[in-house]
Amino acid sequence: MQVSYQLMGSALTATQPPYRCALFDIDGTLVDTVELIVRALDHTFRKHLGLQISRDELRRTIGLPLHKQVRLFDHLVDFVPDHRAMEADEIAYYESHKHLEHVIPEAVQALKDAKRAGLRTALVTSKNRLELETFLPRLNVNGWVDVVVSSSDVARPKPAPDSVLLALQKLGMLPQEALFVGDTVYDIQCAREAGVKVIAVGWGAHPVEVLRAESPDWLFEKPAQLREFFRSLGRHAEEVAGVGIEQR
């Protein structure tokens, strides 16, 4: 007899390994940085390209690594921009206005709930290594995260699957054992191409209807729902540990 368990719309069975790790995006998922990133990009494009890009267009770029963001509008100017200077100015503006970023407490607690549920955890972000060096101390998740992968660590960052695949390699996990949590279509595309189930969250950079169109495995509009999901995984693991699987 095969024993089957139902959890949040995803069937877990005795022959299917349970989820063993959770990968989390940062910007827009764990921390509300949307307004700050939009302002930093706006400042950068005005200064270096003389362009005013609409807020909606800037918001759609969130989730891509900075080195891609600063090149998106090159076709609108008749000169070759200094992309390194643009990246440096964007980071400098961000850091000088870092008071505008706000940690999302329940989302960070969801990461901790995942860890308490026995899952290995990772941060998989489009931030580069330099951005992370100044940012991670403010996130304050030391001891709760096993692996961190930045866009600097892979040849092809999001939406390519390389970042997720590297995180899985470092964790020693298989794609079918992993969940990825993110707030943009790039997160969904990255996770799906890596063969990982994806949880889209609707409080970040991309609107819920845009995320829904990408058909994520789960879509949560409130951080409390994400917390309950990982708490349920913990309760489920305890129930499975206490149930004997009848052999044929």
Side-chain angles (χ1 to χ4, degrees), residues 5-12 17-24 110 113-120 177-181 199 218 220 225-241:
Y5 306 93
Q6 191 72 22
L7 176 63
M8 303 290 284
S10 177
L12 299 180
Y19 298 116
R20 298 178 59 204
C21 66
L23 318 177
F24 288 80
D113 289 333
K115 189 71 171 175
R116 293 186 187 102
L119 279 67
R120 303 288 302 284
E177 297 174 316
L179 296 161
F180 185 81
V181 183
I199 300 170
W218 295 271
F220 298 140
Q225 295 171 311
L226 185 64
R227 284 206 71 184
E228 179 55 29
F229 178 86
F230 284 111
R231 286 170 172 171
S232 296
L233 282 185
R235 291 194 294 269
H236 173 77
E238 292 174 0
E239 291 169 4
V240 171

Side-chain angles (χ1 to χ4, degrees), residues 195-209:
V196 170
K197 295 289 188 181
V198 60
I199 300 170
V201 298
W203 53 82
H206 291 180
V208 168
E209 58 272 17

Side-chain angles (χ1 to χ4, degrees), residues 7 20 22 53 63 73 76-77 92 96 98 108 156 159 163 171 176 178 186 188 208 223 226 236 243-244 246-247:
L7 176 63
R20 298 178 59 204
I53 309 299
F73 303 102
L76 298 179
V77 297
S96 66
K98 62 189 177 184
V108 173
R156 301 184 306 157
S163 299
L171 291 169
Q176 61 265 33
Y186 309 118
I188 297 172
V208 168
L226 185 64
H236 173 77
V243 174
E246 181 179 335
Q247 303 296 321

Side-chain angles (χ1 to χ4, degrees), residues 96-193:
S96 66
H97 295 78
K98 62 189 177 184
H99 60 279
L100 295 175
E101 70 181 18
H102 302 287
V103 172
I104 303 168
E106 283 191 296
V108 173
Q109 285 301 319
L111 182 152
K112 294 179 179 180
D113 289 333
K115 189 71 171 175
R116 293 186 187 102
L119 279 67
R120 303 288 302 284
T121 57
L123 299 178
V124 179
T125 178
S126 291
K127 286 184 181 294
N128 61 40
R129 194 173 295 119
L130 179 60
E131 291 174 296
L132 276 182
E133 284 178 3
T134 56
F135 171 79
L136 276 181
R138 299 198 294 271
L139 186 58
N140 193 28
V141 290
N142 286 345
W144 295 98
V145 173
D146 299 298
V147 166
V148 178
V149 174
S150 76
S151 63
S152 302
D153 299 322
V154 293
R156 301 184 306 157
K158 300 174 189 176
D162 301 33
S163 299
V164 164
L165 294 174
L166 178 58
L168 294 177
Q169 178 185 335
K170 289 176 174 288
L171 291 169
M173 299 290 174
L174 299 172
Q176 61 265 33
E177 297 174 316
L179 296 161
F180 185 81
V181 183
D183 70 304
T184 72
V185 296
Y186 309 118
D187 294 318
I188 297 172
Q189 293 163 2
C190 173
R192 181 172 292 124
E193 194 171 344

